Amino acid sequence: MKAQDLGTAAPNTWCPGCGNFAILNAIKPVLAELDGAGLVPKENVVVVTGIGCHGKIADYLQVNSFYAIHGRAIPVATGIKLADPDLTVICFAGDGDAYAEGLDHLIFAAKRNVDVTTIVHDNRVYGLTTGQYTPTSPSGFAGRSTPEGLEVSPINPLEMVFASGGTFIARGYSNRIDLLKETIREAILHRGFSFVDVLQVCATFFNMYDLYNRRTYALEEHDPQDVVQAQAKMVEWDYNSDGPMPLGIFHRRAAPTFGDNFEKFNSKIPDLEGKVRRVLKGYI
Ligand code: SF4
């Protein structure tokens, strides 16, 4: 299978120059490669999206997919993975989706180490609704809901997921597609909750290409298992300084997954399924 075999006939409605194209063009060859290598068969892949411009990626990928409601891609993905642990579940969410409406789900997925991959299209603006600020919009951002400029600093998603117990934490940039591909590939192969925040430029409502081209750099000689190093790199973020913004895998460690713990819990209750069925019988 080739990357182009994963495309669909759906007309693409993203704006010219949108960073979403890069994420689509990164995931396709990765899925083709993993399928070809026998690591992740295409039929076992399920994509779950939230609501926003990013969500259309489900229309453009020839794999199983599910449109969730706003902010709820992660709990849907969690349910799919628990129902069939053989599936490889990949969540796509926007920054409004993952860091505002769905923030609690992100934190709990990291804390529980749910074995799904979450890729956040972090364009730092609500693009589909034409330019309101999100939790990652930088201070000073002037949009439709803050015409005089935003006066608060953005959250740092990587630090937040790290503090929640995330076992794979990475950042990509839509203008560094080779690095993005490599990062997404590693995220999919990680056993446990893998989180990739992608600096996905919204060319129409918040064009950050110049700034990111100037400030981003790839992590080198970085040990993702060294938590002190990982934290030191995560704090290199956009608090209105003109400092560097690292890209790549910041943190990675092995830990039991939510599915492992769920199995253990189930095994302590003999005939759990039968008990649930008997209870439900009274209602259906
Ligand atoms: Fe992309 Fe922004 Fe256009 Fe949405 S509004 S498709 S995020 S460029």
Side-chain angles (χ1 to χ4, degrees):
M1 185 177 64
K2 294 192 176 121
Q4 55 264 41
D5 298 330
L6 286 163
T8 69
N12 194 306
T13 58
W14 286 328
C15 310
C18 175
N20 285 328
F21 286 103
I23 298 176
L24 178 64
N25 289 331
I27 191 85
K28 284 202 282 194
V30 169
L31 290 179
E33 183 214 320
L34 294 177
D35 176 83
L39 293 171
V40 181
K42 180 198 155 193
E43 61 273 16
N44 282 8
V45 174
V46 184
V47 158
V48 184
T49 73
I51 298 297
C53 295
H54 79 275
K56 297 175 191 169
I57 202 166
D59 295 337
Y60 309 144
L61 273 174
Q62 192 67 258
V63 293
N64 306 301
S65 59
F66 192 105
Y67 265 109
I69 55 174
H70 207 190
R72 312 299 170 215
I74 292 175
V76 170
T78 301
I80 293 171
K81 184 67 186 180
L82 282 182
D84 188 346
D86 288 339
L87 298 176
T88 294
V89 186
I90 305 169
C91 246
F92 292 95
D95 44 320
D97 230 23
Y99 307 145
E101 281 84 354
L103 177 62
D104 46 349
H105 301 302
L106 175 65
I107 289 171
F108 272 81
K111 168 180 146 65
R112 291 167 171 155
N113 200 26
V114 179
D115 188 14
V116 303
T117 297
T118 293
I119 298 170
V120 179
H121 299 224
D122 187 1
N123 54 26
R124 311 177 73 184
V125 66
Y126 283 98
L128 194 67
T129 50
T130 70
Q132 298 79 11
Y133 76 93
T134 72
T136 48
S137 300
S139 174
F141 169 81
R144 287 172 78 92
S145 54
T146 51
E148 303 300 324
L150 191 61
E151 288 180 0
V152 292
S153 295
I155 63 161
N156 182 331
L158 275 64
E159 284 186 292
M160 186 177 62
V161 173
F162 182 72
S164 306
T167 55
F168 182 104
I169 299 172
R171 181 187 292 133
Y173 169 34
S174 57
N175 217 19
R176 304 256 331 229
I177 193 158
D178 285 341
L179 182 58
L180 182 60
K181 273 191 230 167
E182 182 55 28
T183 306
I184 289 177
R185 183 184 184 280
E186 293 300 307
I188 293 172
L189 292 176
H190 176 73
R191 191 171 185 279
F193 187 67
S194 48
F195 168 74
V196 186
D197 179 75
V198 183
L199 301 173
Q200 172 259 311
V201 173
C202 172
T204 302
F205 295 105
F206 197 26
N207 194 326
M208 305 276 275
Y209 280 120
D210 280 351
L211 184 133
Y212 289 157
N213 288 344
R214 209 172 56 243
R215 291 177 53 186
T216 56
Y217 73 98
L219 284 169
E220 280 172 10
E221 296 178 18
H222 172 75
D223 176 5
Q225 293 188 339
D226 181 333
V227 292
V228 176
Q229 258 192 46
Q231 278 179 298
K233 288 297 169 189
M234 283 178 206
V235 296
E236 290 182 15
W237 171 235
D238 183 16
Y239 294 114
N240 295 316
S241 64
D242 202 26
M245 299 173 81
L247 305 172
I249 301 167
F250 289 66
H251 176 59
R252 172 159 50 187
R253 71 186 162 91
T257 66
F258 188 44
D260 297 336
N261 293 331
F262 197 70
E263 283 300 314
K264 252 191 257 163
F265 170 77
N266 276 357
S267 66
K268 284 186 193 155
I269 306 175
D271 191 27
L272 176 66
E273 194 179 333
K275 281 186 178 131
V276 172
R277 279 185 195 286
R278 282 193 289 281
V279 170
L280 289 178
K281 217 172 163 187
Y283 297 94
I284 52 177

